[in-house]
Amino acid sequence: MASRKLGLFVAAVVSAAAFVPPSAVAQLRTDYYASVCPNLESIVRGSVRQSMAQSQISAPAALRLFFHDCAITGCDASIMIVNSNGDDEWRHSDNQSLKREGFQTVLSAKAAVDGDPQCRNKVSCADILALAARESVVQSGGPYYQVELGRYDGRVSTRGSVVLPHVNFNLDQLNAFFSGLGFNQTEMVALLGAHTLGAADCPFFQYRIGSDPSMDQGLASQLRATCGANPGGGFAFLDPSPGGFDNAFYRNLQGGRGLLGTDQVLYSDQRSRGAVDAYAANQGAFFADFVAAVTKLGRIGVKTAATGEIRRDCRFPN
């Protein structure tokens, strides 16, 4: 899966997302909807709470959806678009692991927002996705942070625009990808702490069982049994507290119990181990750095009124 030439990989990411006009970033502010939809945040908060009550997958799925959206062509909700010809981002093979609960969380929040006559068709799907991601963190016990708002929705979504890291990337490949998005190594380690929520399907880590010496042997035995008993359909949690946003993810890596290769390499490679150790020892430091990193993520590829729109239905361009 990681056989693509890294130069093309990085170039695609940089050209598609990292170069944002200064005006696009300048339009973002936390009170963007204060006069047109003053109850926006409380509406989204309540909707996400309902989604999480219906499914424990909703929070990690919505948070992951936000990353996939921003990392492809910027934070424009293009990941939500459904094209009639099947040529869209979410149907790319690298996005097939995205769970329907994440999409439904955003669609439900959009419906709730538009249910307020004052807000109807005035709030972008991109901003609703950003708020849903924040609520997924906060309502799972993570840090509260203010969300910068004012994004417009993209009009285009194609499979060819999808370039994402693969689970067998080494640290150099991860750094190349994230530097293309404007992140340094420490910011990357903090952002990947989002893997404290949720689970991964067996195909994403099964290749490591019995062949990766960095994997704890006890974990390998457990995973061998889990995946062997559910051919093609098993899964495992990313850390011991998959429903809680905390620093257990980093402590897990210290014990060789990281599920994904791209997670465990953060500890097995000496160059990033210091950041893992720091976050494992200090949850407050992780929270502070995660907030800074996810806020920075939300500024990637922002669309303006000239380059985007406010979609009436998040699944279809107007």
Side-chain angles (χ1 to χ4, degrees), residues 202-203 206 224-235:
C202 285
Q206 200 164 6
R224 188 178 292 110
T226 296
C227 296
N230 301 280
F235 71 92

Side-chain angles (χ1 to χ4, degrees), residues 207-224:
Y207 73 96
R208 298 182 61 215
I209 301 172
S211 63
D212 187 342
S214 68
M215 179 180 281
D216 174 76
Q217 291 306 302
L219 175 64
S221 297
Q222 294 172 19
L223 296 178
R224 188 178 292 110

Side-chain angles (χ1 to χ4, degrees), residues 42-61:
S42 62
I43 294 171
V44 174
R45 182 173 301 118
S47 179
V48 172
R49 183 179 297 114
Q50 289 183 348
S51 293
M52 290 176 62
Q54 292 167 2
S55 172
Q56 62 180 349
I57 300 175
S58 293

Side-chain angles (χ1 to χ4, degrees), residues 186-187 190-191 279 284-294:
T186 301
E187 291 171 328
L191 196 59
Y279 295 147
F286 162 50
F287 280 5
D289 286 359
F290 176 82
V291 166
V294 77

